């Protein structure tokens, strides 16, 4: 599990790769925490690029739920882009597409968030 961040225009993009499961969820949460703190109403939105995520379990979904709650409380914006087919199916079944704005690709998401 890896997370690499970069700015694309006015949007902070965090590219996540690997599996987010019981073995890596804590690491994902630790890597995500410093990116969430500055996501406020007057700050850059955060986009999670999931194009490299092979799998996400319920433990990983819990990390995302906590992230969404934190950003909402801070009045910031967070979204997810480029779900792989397996992860898209998990999002659909668990209805996480209703928790996060989900975009088909990073470019579309950056335009929408900017």
């Amino acid at each position: 599990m890896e997370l690499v961040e970069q700015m694309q225009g006015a949007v902070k993009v965090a590219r996540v790769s690997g599996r987010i499961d019981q073995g890596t969820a804590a690491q994902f949460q630790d890597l995500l925490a410093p990116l969430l703190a500055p996501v406020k109403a007057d700050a850059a939105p955060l986009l999670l690029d999931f194009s490299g995520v092979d799998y996400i379990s319920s433990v990983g979904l819990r990390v995302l739920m906590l992230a969404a709650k934190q950003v909402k409380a801070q009045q910031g914006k967070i979204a997810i882009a480029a779900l792989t087919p397996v992860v898209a199916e998990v999002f659909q079944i668990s209805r996480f597409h209703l928790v996060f704005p989900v975009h088909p690709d990073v470019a579309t998401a950056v335009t929408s968030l900017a």
Side-chain angles (χ1 to χ4, degrees), residues 2-95:
E2 292 184 4
L3 191 150
V4 178
E5 62 181 283
Q6 68 178 28
M7 290 298 293
Q8 282 194 337
V11 178
K12 180 165 282 205
V13 178
R15 187 176 194 293
V16 186
S17 59
R19 293 174 60 90
I20 305 172
D21 56 21
Q22 184 69 33
T24 60
Q27 178 189 11
F28 178 50
Q29 187 169 15
D30 291 345
L31 292 171
L32 195 55
L35 300 180
L36 297 174
V39 181
K40 300 182 177 164
D42 58 347
L46 178 63
L47 175 64
L48 300 176
D49 174 359
F50 265 41
S51 61
V53 176
D54 306 338
Y55 174 78
I56 189 165
S57 71
S58 60
V59 181
L61 292 175
R62 181 181 183 281
V63 172
L64 289 177
M65 179 63 77
L66 293 173
K69 285 183 179 183
Q70 179 180 339
V71 170
K72 183 177 180 182
Q74 296 169 181
Q75 299 178 349
K77 290 182 185 176
I78 187 170
I80 295 180
L83 297 177
T84 59
V86 170
V87 176
E89 185 176 352
V90 171
F91 266 62
Q92 193 72 22
I93 291 168
S94 63
R95 304 183 60 84

Coordinates of all heavy atoms in Angstrom, one line a residue, residues 2-95:
E2 N 0.7 2.1 -1.0 CA 1.4 3.3 -1.1 C 0.5 4.5 -1.3 O -0.6 4.3 -1.9 CB 2.4 3.3 -2.2 CG 3.6 2.3 -2.0 CD 4.6 2.3 -3.2 OE1 4.4 3.2 -4.1 OE2 5.5 1.5 -3.1
L3 N 0.9 5.7 -0.9 CA 0.2 6.9 -1.2 C 1.2 8.0 -1.5 O 2.1 8.3 -0.8 CB -0.6 7.3 0.1 CG -1.6 8.4 -0.1 CD1 -2.7 8.2 0.9 CD2 -1.0 9.8 0.1
V4 N 1.0 8.6 -2.7 CA 1.9 9.6 -3.2 C 1.0 10.8 -3.5 O 0.0 10.7 -4.2 CB 2.6 9.2 -4.5 CG1 3.5 10.3 -5.1 CG2 3.4 7.9 -4.3
E5 N 1.4 12.0 -3.0 CA 0.6 13.2 -3.2 C 1.3 14.2 -4.1 O 2.5 14.2 -4.2 CB 0.4 13.8 -1.8 CG 1.6 14.3 -1.1 CD 1.3 14.9 0.2 OE1 0.9 16.1 0.3 OE2 1.6 14.2 1.2
Q6 N 0.5 15.0 -4.8 CA 1.0 16.1 -5.6 C -0.2 17.0 -5.8 O -1.3 16.7 -5.7 CB 1.4 15.5 -7.0 CG 0.3 15.0 -7.9 CD 0.8 14.5 -9.2 OE1 1.9 14.1 -9.4 NE2 -0.1 14.5 -10.2
M7 N 0.2 18.2 -6.2 CA -0.9 19.3 -6.5 C -1.1 19.2 -8.0 O -0.2 19.1 -8.8 CB -0.4 20.7 -6.1 CG -0.3 20.9 -4.6 SD -1.9 20.8 -3.7 CE -2.8 22.1 -4.4
Q8 N -2.4 19.3 -8.4 CA -2.8 19.4 -9.8 C -3.7 20.7 -9.8 O -4.9 20.6 -9.4 CB -3.5 18.2 -10.3 CG -2.6 17.1 -10.7 CD -3.3 16.0 -11.5 OE1 -4.5 15.9 -11.5 NE2 -2.5 15.3 -12.2
G9 N -3.1 21.8 -10.2 CA -3.9 23.0 -10.1 C -4.1 23.4 -8.7 O -3.2 23.4 -7.8
A10 N -5.4 23.6 -8.3 CA -5.8 23.9 -7.0 C -6.2 22.7 -6.1 O -6.8 22.9 -5.1 CB -6.9 25.0 -7.0
V11 N -6.0 21.5 -6.6 CA -6.4 20.3 -6.0 C -5.3 19.4 -5.6 O -4.3 19.2 -6.3 CB -7.4 19.5 -6.9 CG1 -7.8 18.2 -6.3 CG2 -8.6 20.3 -7.4
K12 N -5.3 19.0 -4.3 CA -4.3 18.0 -3.8 C -4.7 16.6 -4.2 O -5.8 16.2 -3.9 CB -4.1 18.1 -2.3 CG -3.0 17.1 -1.9 CD -2.6 17.4 -0.5 CE -1.6 18.5 -0.6 NZ -0.6 18.6 0.5
V13 N -3.9 15.9 -5.0 CA -4.2 14.6 -5.5 C -3.3 13.6 -4.8 O -2.1 13.7 -4.8 CB -4.0 14.5 -7.0 CG1 -4.3 13.1 -7.5 CG2 -4.9 15.5 -7.7
A14 N -4.0 12.6 -4.1 CA -3.2 11.6 -3.5 C -3.5 10.3 -4.2 O -4.6 9.8 -4.3 CB -3.7 11.4 -2.0
R15 N -2.4 9.8 -4.9 CA -2.5 8.5 -5.6 C -2.3 7.3 -4.7 O -1.2 7.2 -4.2 CB -1.6 8.5 -6.8 CG -1.8 7.3 -7.7 CD -0.9 7.3 -8.9 NE -1.3 6.4 -10.0 CZ -1.2 5.1 -9.9 NH1 -0.9 4.5 -8.7 NH2 -1.6 4.3 -10.9
V16 N -3.3 6.5 -4.5 CA -3.2 5.4 -3.7 C -3.0 4.1 -4.5 O -3.7 4.0 -5.6 CB -4.5 5.2 -2.8 CG1 -4.4 4.1 -1.8 CG2 -4.9 6.6 -2.2
S17 N -2.2 3.2 -4.1 CA -1.9 2.0 -4.8 C -1.8 0.8 -3.9 O -1.4 1.0 -2.8 CB -0.7 2.1 -5.8 OG 0.4 2.4 -5.0
G18 N -2.1 -0.3 -4.4 CA -2.0 -1.6 -3.7 C -3.4 -2.0 -3.1 O -4.4 -1.6 -3.6
R19 N -3.3 -2.9 -2.1 CA -4.5 -3.4 -1.4 C -4.8 -2.6 -0.1 O -3.8 -2.3 0.6 CB -4.4 -4.9 -1.1 CG -4.3 -5.8 -2.3 CD -4.0 -7.2 -1.9 NE -5.0 -7.8 -1.1 CZ -6.1 -8.4 -1.5 NH1 -6.3 -8.6 -2.8 NH2 -6.9 -8.9 -0.6
I20 N -6.0 -2.3 0.1 CA -6.4 -1.7 1.4 C -7.2 -2.8 2.1 O -8.4 -2.9 1.8 CB -7.1 -0.4 1.2 CG1 -6.3 0.6 0.4 CG2 -7.4 0.2 2.6 CD1 -7.0 1.8 0.0
D21 N -6.6 -3.5 3.0 CA -7.3 -4.6 3.7 C -6.8 -4.6 5.2 O -6.2 -3.6 5.7 CB -7.0 -5.9 3.0 CG -5.5 -6.2 2.9 OD1 -4.7 -5.7 3.6 OD2 -5.2 -7.1 2.0
Q22 N -7.1 -5.7 5.9 CA -6.8 -5.8 7.3 C -5.3 -5.5 7.6 O -5.0 -4.8 8.6 CB -7.1 -7.2 7.8 CG -6.9 -7.4 9.3 CD -7.9 -6.6 10.2 OE1 -9.0 -6.4 9.8 NE2 -7.5 -6.1 11.3
G23 N -4.5 -5.9 6.7 CA -3.0 -5.8 6.9 C -2.5 -4.4 6.6 O -1.4 -4.0 7.1
T24 N -3.2 -3.6 5.8 CA -2.7 -2.3 5.4 C -3.6 -1.1 5.8 O -3.2 0.0 5.5 CB -2.5 -2.3 3.8 OG1 -3.8 -2.5 3.2 CG2 -1.5 -3.3 3.4
A25 N -4.7 -1.3 6.3 CA -5.7 -0.3 6.6 C -5.1 0.7 7.6 O -5.3 2.0 7.5 CB -7.0 -0.8 7.2
A26 N -4.4 0.3 8.6 CA -3.8 1.2 9.6 C -2.7 2.1 8.9 O -2.7 3.3 9.2 CB -3.2 0.4 10.8
Q27 N -1.9 1.5 8.1 CA -1.0 2.3 7.3 C -1.7 3.3 6.4 O -1.2 4.5 6.4 CB -0.1 1.3 6.5 CG 0.9 2.1 5.6 CD 1.6 1.2 4.6 OE1 1.2 0.0 4.4 NE2 2.7 1.7 4.0
F28 N -2.7 2.9 5.8 CA -3.5 3.8 4.9 C -4.0 5.0 5.8 O -3.9 6.1 5.4 CB -4.6 3.1 4.3 CG -5.5 3.9 3.4 CD1 -5.0 4.8 2.4 CD2 -6.9 3.8 3.5 CE1 -5.9 5.6 1.6 CE2 -7.8 4.6 2.7 CZ -7.2 5.5 1.8
Q29 N -4.6 4.7 7.0 CA -5.1 5.7 7.8 C -4.0 6.7 8.3 O -4.1 7.9 8.3 CB -5.7 5.1 9.1 CG -6.5 6.1 9.9 CD -7.3 5.4 11.0 OE1 -7.2 4.2 11.2 NE2 -8.2 6.1 11.6
D30 N -2.8 6.1 8.6 CA -1.7 6.9 9.0 C -1.2 7.8 7.9 O -0.8 9.0 8.2 CB -0.5 6.0 9.5 CG -0.8 5.3 10.8 OD1 -1.8 5.7 11.5 OD2 -0.1 4.4 11.2
L31 N -1.1 7.3 6.7 CA -0.7 8.1 5.6 C -1.7 9.2 5.2 O -1.4 10.3 4.7 CB -0.4 7.2 4.4 CG 0.8 6.3 4.5 CD1 0.8 5.3 3.3 CD2 2.1 7.1 4.5
L32 N -3.0 8.9 5.4 CA -4.1 9.8 5.0 C -4.3 10.9 6.0 O -4.6 12.0 5.6 CB -5.4 9.0 4.9 CG -6.5 9.6 4.2 CD1 -6.2 10.1 2.8 CD2 -7.7 8.6 4.1
A33 N -4.0 10.7 7.3 CA -4.3 11.6 8.4 C -3.7 13.0 8.1 O -4.4 14.0 8.2 CB -3.9 11.1 9.7
P34 N -2.4 13.1 7.8 CA -1.9 14.5 7.6 C -2.4 15.2 6.4 O -2.3 16.4 6.3 CB -0.3 14.2 7.5 CG -0.2 12.8 7.2 CD -1.4 12.1 7.7
L35 N -3.0 14.4 5.4 CA -3.6 15.0 4.2 C -5.0 15.6 4.6 O -5.4 16.5 3.9 CB -3.7 14.0 3.1 CG -2.3 13.4 2.6 CD1 -2.6 12.5 1.5 CD2 -1.4 14.5 2.2
L36 N -5.6 15.0 5.5 CA -7.0 15.4 5.9 C -7.1 16.7 6.7 O -8.0 17.5 6.5 CB -7.7 14.3 6.6 CG -7.9 13.0 5.9 CD1 -8.5 11.9 6.8 CD2 -8.8 13.2 4.7
A37 N -6.1 16.8 7.6 CA -6.1 18.0 8.5 C -6.3 19.3 7.8 O -7.1 20.2 8.3 CB -4.9 18.0 9.4
P38 N -5.6 19.6 6.7 CA -5.7 20.9 6.1 C -6.9 21.1 5.2 O -7.1 22.1 4.6 CB -4.4 21.1 5.4 CG -3.9 19.7 5.1 CD -4.4 18.9 6.2
V39 N -7.7 20.0 5.0 CA -8.8 20.1 4.0 C -10.0 20.8 4.7 O -10.8 20.2 5.4 CB -9.2 18.7 3.5 CG1 -10.4 18.8 2.5 CG2 -8.0 18.0 2.9
K40 N -10.0 22.1 4.5 CA -11.1 23.0 5.1 C -11.8 23.8 4.0 O -11.4 23.7 2.8 CB -10.4 23.9 6.2 CG -9.8 23.0 7.3 CD -9.2 23.9 8.3 CE -8.6 22.9 9.4 NZ -7.7 23.5 10.3
A41 N -12.8 24.5 4.4 CA -13.6 25.3 3.5 C -12.8 26.2 2.6 O -13.1 26.3 1.4 CB -14.6 26.1 4.2
D42 N -11.7 26.8 3.1 CA -10.9 27.8 2.3 C -9.6 27.2 1.8 O -8.7 27.9 1.4 CB -10.7 29.0 3.1 CG -10.0 28.7 4.4 OD1 -9.9 27.5 4.8 OD2 -9.5 29.7 5.1
A43 N -9.5 25.9 1.8 CA -8.2 25.3 1.4 C -8.4 24.4 0.2 O -9.6 24.1 -0.2 CB -7.7 24.4 2.6
A44 N -7.4 23.8 -0.3 CA -7.4 22.9 -1.4 C -8.2 21.7 -1.1 O -8.0 21.1 -0.1 CB -6.0 22.5 -1.9
P45 N -9.1 21.3 -2.0 CA -9.8 20.0 -1.8 C -8.8 18.8 -2.0 O -7.7 19.0 -2.6 CB -10.8 20.0 -2.9 CG -10.5 21.1 -3.9 CD -9.5 22.0 -3.2
L46 N -9.2 17.7 -1.5 CA -8.4 16.5 -1.6 C -9.1 15.5 -2.5 O -10.3 15.1 -2.4 CB -8.2 15.8 -0.2 CG -7.4 14.5 -0.2 CD1 -6.0 14.7 -0.7 CD2 -7.4 14.0 1.2
L47 N -8.3 15.0 -3.5 CA -8.8 13.9 -4.4 C -8.0 12.7 -4.2 O -6.8 12.7 -4.2 CB -8.7 14.4 -5.9 CG -9.0 13.4 -6.9 CD1 -10.5 13.0 -6.8 CD2 -8.7 13.9 -8.3
L48 N -8.7 11.6 -3.9 CA -8.0 10.3 -3.8 C -8.1 9.6 -5.1 O -9.2 9.2 -5.6 CB -8.7 9.4 -2.7 CG -8.7 10.1 -1.3 CD1 -9.5 9.2 -0.3 CD2 -7.3 10.3 -0.8
D49 N -6.9 9.4 -5.8 CA -6.9 8.7 -7.1 C -6.7 7.2 -6.7 O -5.7 6.8 -6.3 CB -5.7 9.2 -7.8 CG -5.4 8.4 -9.1 OD1 -6.1 7.5 -9.4 OD2 -4.4 8.8 -9.8
F50 N -7.8 6.4 -7.0 CA -7.8 5.0 -6.7 C -7.5 4.1 -7.9 O -7.7 2.9 -7.9 CB -9.1 4.6 -6.1 CG -9.2 4.6 -4.6 CD1 -8.6 5.6 -3.9 CD2 -9.9 3.6 -3.9 CE1 -8.6 5.6 -2.5 CE2 -9.9 3.6 -2.5 CZ -9.3 4.6 -1.8
S51 N -6.9 4.7 -8.9 CA -6.6 3.9 -10.1 C -5.6 2.8 -9.9 O -5.6 1.8 -10.6 CB -6.0 4.8 -11.2 OG -4.8 5.4 -10.8
G52 N -4.8 2.8 -8.8 CA -3.9 1.8 -8.5 C -4.3 0.9 -7.3 O -3.5 0.0 -6.9
V53 N -5.6 1.0 -6.9 CA -6.0 0.2 -5.8 C -6.7 -1.1 -6.3 O -7.6 -1.0 -7.1 CB -7.1 1.0 -4.9 CG1 -7.6 0.1 -3.8 CG2 -6.4 2.2 -4.3
D54 N -6.1 -2.2 -6.0 CA -6.5 -3.5 -6.5 C -7.8 -4.0 -5.7 O -8.6 -4.8 -6.3 CB -5.4 -4.6 -6.3 CG -4.1 -4.1 -6.9 OD1 -4.2 -3.3 -7.8 OD2 -3.1 -4.7 -6.5
Y55 N -7.8 -3.7 -4.4 CA -8.9 -4.3 -3.6 C -9.0 -3.4 -2.3 O -8.1 -2.8 -1.8 CB -8.4 -5.7 -3.1 CG -9.3 -6.3 -2.1 CD1 -10.6 -6.9 -2.5 CD2 -9.0 -6.3 -0.8 CE1 -11.4 -7.5 -1.6 CE2 -9.8 -6.9 0.2 CZ -11.0 -7.5 -0.2 OH -11.9 -8.1 0.7
I56 N -10.3 -3.3 -1.8 CA -10.5 -2.6 -0.6 C -11.5 -3.5 0.2 O -12.5 -3.9 -0.3 CB -11.0 -1.2 -0.8 CG1 -11.1 -0.4 0.6 CG2 -12.4 -1.1 -1.5 CD1 -11.2 1.1 0.4
S57 N -11.2 -3.7 1.5 CA -12.1 -4.5 2.4 C -12.9 -3.5 3.2 O -12.8 -2.3 3.2 CB -11.2 -5.4 3.3 OG -10.5 -4.6 4.3
S58 N -13.7 -4.1 4.1 CA -14.6 -3.3 5.0 C -13.7 -2.4 5.9 O -14.1 -1.3 6.3 CB -15.5 -4.2 5.8 OG -14.8 -5.1 6.6
V59 N -12.6 -2.9 6.3 CA -11.7 -2.2 7.2 C -11.2 -0.9 6.5 O -11.1 0.2 7.0 CB -10.5 -3.0 7.7 CG1 -9.6 -2.2 8.6 CG2 -11.0 -4.3 8.4
G60 N -10.9 -1.0 5.2 CA -10.5 0.1 4.4 C -11.6 1.1 4.2 O -11.4 2.3 4.2
L61 N -12.8 0.5 4.0 CA -14.0 1.4 3.9 C -14.2 2.2 5.1 O -14.7 3.4 5.1 CB -15.2 0.6 3.5 CG -15.3 -0.1 2.1 CD1 -16.5 -0.9 2.0 CD2 -15.2 1.0 1.0
R62 N -13.9 1.6 6.3 CA -14.1 2.3 7.6 C -13.1 3.5 7.6 O -13.5 4.6 8.1 CB -13.8 1.4 8.7 CG -14.0 2.0 10.1 CD -13.7 1.0 11.2 NE -13.9 1.7 12.5 CZ -13.0 2.5 13.1 NH1 -11.9 2.8 12.5 NH2 -13.3 3.0 14.3
V63 N -11.9 3.3 7.1 CA -10.9 4.4 7.1 C -11.5 5.6 6.2 O -11.4 6.7 6.6 CB -9.6 3.9 6.6 CG1 -8.6 5.1 6.4 CG2 -9.0 3.0 7.6
L64 N -12.1 5.2 5.1 CA -12.6 6.2 4.2 C -13.8 6.9 4.8 O -14.0 8.1 4.7 CB -13.1 5.6 2.9 CG -11.9 5.2 2.0 CD1 -12.5 4.5 0.7 CD2 -11.1 6.4 1.6
M65 N -14.7 6.2 5.6 CA -15.8 6.8 6.2 C -15.4 7.8 7.3 O -15.9 8.9 7.4 CB -16.7 5.7 6.9 CG -17.9 6.2 7.6 SD -19.1 7.0 6.6 CE -19.9 5.6 5.9
L66 N -14.4 7.4 8.1 CA -13.8 8.4 9.1 C -13.2 9.6 8.4 O -13.4 10.7 8.9 CB -12.8 7.7 9.9 CG -13.3 6.6 10.8 CD1 -12.2 5.8 11.5 CD2 -14.3 7.1 11.9
A67 N -12.6 9.4 7.2 CA -12.0 10.5 6.5 C -13.1 11.5 6.0 O -13.0 12.7 6.1 CB -11.2 10.0 5.3
A68 N -14.2 10.9 5.5 CA -15.3 11.7 5.0 C -15.9 12.5 6.1 O -16.3 13.7 5.9 CB -16.3 10.8 4.3
K69 N -16.1 11.9 7.3 CA -16.7 12.6 8.4 C -15.8 13.7 8.9 O -16.3 14.8 9.2 CB -16.9 11.6 9.6 CG -18.1 10.7 9.4 CD -18.3 9.8 10.6 CE -19.5 8.9 10.4 NZ -19.7 8.1 11.6
Q70 N -14.5 13.5 8.9 CA -13.6 14.5 9.3 C -13.6 15.7 8.4 O -13.7 16.9 8.8 CB -12.2 14.0 9.4 CG -11.1 15.0 9.8 CD -9.7 14.5 9.9 OE1 -9.5 13.3 10.1 NE2 -8.8 15.4 9.9
V71 N -13.6 15.4 7.1 CA -13.6 16.5 6.1 C -14.9 17.3 6.1 O -14.9 18.5 6.0 CB -13.2 16.0 4.7 CG1 -13.4 17.0 3.6 CG2 -11.8 15.5 4.6
K72 N -16.0 16.6 6.3 CA -17.3 17.2 6.4 C -17.3 18.2 7.6 O -17.8 19.3 7.5 CB -18.4 16.2 6.5 CG -19.8 16.8 6.5 CD -20.9 15.7 6.5 CE -22.2 16.4 6.5 NZ -23.3 15.4 6.5
A73 N -16.8 17.7 8.7 CA -16.8 18.5 9.9 C -15.9 19.8 9.7 O -16.2 20.8 10.3 CB -16.3 17.7 11.1
Q74 N -14.9 19.7 8.9 CA -14.0 20.8 8.6 C -14.5 21.6 7.5 O -13.9 22.6 7.1 CB -12.6 20.3 8.3 CG -11.9 19.5 9.4 CD -10.7 18.8 9.0 OE1 -10.1 18.1 9.8 NE2 -10.3 18.8 7.7
Q75 N -15.7 21.3 6.9 CA -16.3 22.0 5.8 C -15.4 22.0 4.5 O -15.5 22.9 3.8 CB -16.7 23.4 6.2 CG -17.7 23.4 7.3 CD -18.2 24.7 7.8 OE1 -17.5 25.7 7.4 NE2 -19.2 24.8 8.6
G76 N -14.6 20.9 4.4 CA -13.8 20.8 3.2 C -14.4 19.9 2.1 O -15.5 19.5 2.3
K77 N -13.6 19.7 1.1 CA -14.1 18.8 0.0 C -13.1 17.7 -0.2 O -11.9 17.9 -0.2 CB -14.1 19.6 -1.3 CG -15.2 20.7 -1.4 CD -15.1 21.3 -2.8 CE -16.1 22.5 -2.9 NZ -15.9 23.1 -4.2
I78 N -13.7 16.5 -0.4 CA -12.9 15.3 -0.7 C -13.7 14.5 -1.7 O -14.9 14.5 -1.7 CB -12.7 14.5 0.6 CG1 -11.7 13.3 0.3 CG2 -14.0 14.0 1.2 CD1 -11.2 12.6 1.6
A79 N -13.0 13.9 -2.6 CA -13.6 13.0 -3.7 C -12.7 11.9 -4.0 O -11.5 11.9 -3.6 CB -13.9 13.9 -4.9
I80 N -13.2 11.0 -4.8 CA -12.4 9.8 -5.2 C -12.6 9.7 -6.7 O -13.6 10.0 -7.3 CB -12.9 8.5 -4.5 CG1 -12.7 8.6 -3.0 CG2 -12.3 7.3 -5.1 CD1 -13.1 7.4 -2.2
A81 N -11.5 9.3 -7.4 CA -11.5 9.1 -8.8 C -10.9 7.8 -9.3 O -10.1 7.2 -8.5 CB -10.8 10.3 -9.5
A82 N -11.3 7.4 -10.4 CA -10.6 6.3 -11.2 C -10.7 5.0 -10.4 O -9.7 4.3 -10.3 CB -9.2 6.6 -11.5
L83 N -11.8 4.6 -10.0 CA -12.0 3.3 -9.3 C -11.7 2.1 -10.3 O -12.2 2.2 -11.4 CB -13.4 3.1 -8.7 CG -13.8 4.1 -7.6 CD1 -15.3 3.8 -7.2 CD2 -12.9 4.0 -6.4
T84 N -11.0 1.1 -9.9 CA -10.8 -0.1 -10.7 C -12.2 -0.9 -10.6 O -13.0 -0.6 -9.7 CB -9.7 -1.0 -10.1 OG1 -10.0 -1.3 -8.8 CG2 -8.4 -0.2 -10.2
P85 N -12.4 -1.7 -11.5 CA -13.7 -2.5 -11.6 C -14.0 -3.2 -10.3 O -15.2 -3.1 -9.8 CB -13.5 -3.5 -12.7 CG -12.6 -2.8 -13.6 CD -11.6 -2.1 -12.7
V86 N -13.1 -3.8 -9.6 CA -13.3 -4.6 -8.4 C -13.7 -3.6 -7.3 O -14.7 -3.8 -6.5 CB -12.1 -5.4 -8.0 CG1 -12.2 -5.9 -6.6 CG2 -11.8 -6.5 -9.0
V87 N -13.0 -2.5 -7.2 CA -13.2 -1.5 -6.1 C -14.6 -0.8 -6.4 O -15.3 -0.5 -5.5 CB -12.1 -0.5 -6.0 CG1 -12.4 0.6 -5.0 CG2 -10.8 -1.3 -5.6
A88 N -14.8 -0.5 -7.7 CA -16.1 0.1 -8.0 C -17.3 -0.8 -7.6 O -18.3 -0.3 -7.1 CB -16.2 0.4 -9.5
E89 N -17.1 -2.1 -7.8 CA -18.2 -3.0 -7.3 C -18.4 -2.9 -5.8 O -19.5 -2.9 -5.3 CB -17.9 -4.4 -7.8 CG -19.0 -5.4 -7.5 CD -18.7 -6.8 -8.0 OE1 -17.7 -7.0 -8.8 OE2 -19.5 -7.7 -7.7
V90 N -17.3 -2.9 -5.1 CA -17.4 -2.8 -3.6 C -18.1 -1.5 -3.2 O -18.9 -1.5 -2.3 CB -16.0 -2.9 -3.0 CG1 -16.0 -2.6 -1.5 CG2 -15.4 -4.3 -3.2
F91 N -17.7 -0.4 -3.9 CA -18.3 0.9 -3.6 C -19.8 0.8 -3.9 O -20.6 1.4 -3.1 CB -17.7 2.0 -4.4 CG -16.6 2.7 -3.7 CD1 -15.4 2.1 -3.3 CD2 -16.7 4.1 -3.5 CE1 -14.4 2.7 -2.6 CE2 -15.7 4.8 -2.8 CZ -14.5 4.1 -2.4
Q92 N -20.2 0.2 -5.0 CA -21.6 0.1 -5.4 C -22.4 -0.7 -4.4 O -23.5 -0.3 -3.9 CB -21.7 -0.5 -6.8 CG -23.1 -0.4 -7.4 CD -23.4 1.0 -7.8 OE1 -22.5 1.8 -8.1 NE2 -24.6 1.4 -8.0
I93 N -21.9 -1.9 -4.0 CA -22.5 -2.8 -3.1 C -22.7 -2.1 -1.7 O -23.7 -2.2 -1.0 CB -21.8 -4.1 -2.9 CG1 -21.9 -4.9 -4.2 CG2 -22.3 -5.0 -1.8 CD1 -21.0 -6.1 -4.4
S94 N -21.6 -1.5 -1.2 CA -21.6 -0.8 0.1 C -22.2 0.6 0.1 O -22.3 1.2 1.1 CB -20.2 -0.8 0.6 OG -19.4 0.0 -0.2
R95 N -22.6 1.1 -1.1 CA -23.2 2.4 -1.3 C -22.3 3.5 -0.9 O -22.7 4.6 -0.6 CB -24.5 2.5 -0.6 CG -25.5 1.3 -1.0 CD -26.8 1.4 -0.4 NE -27.6 2.6 -0.6 CZ -28.3 2.8 -1.7 NH1 -28.4 1.9 -2.7 NH2 -29.0 3.9 -1.8

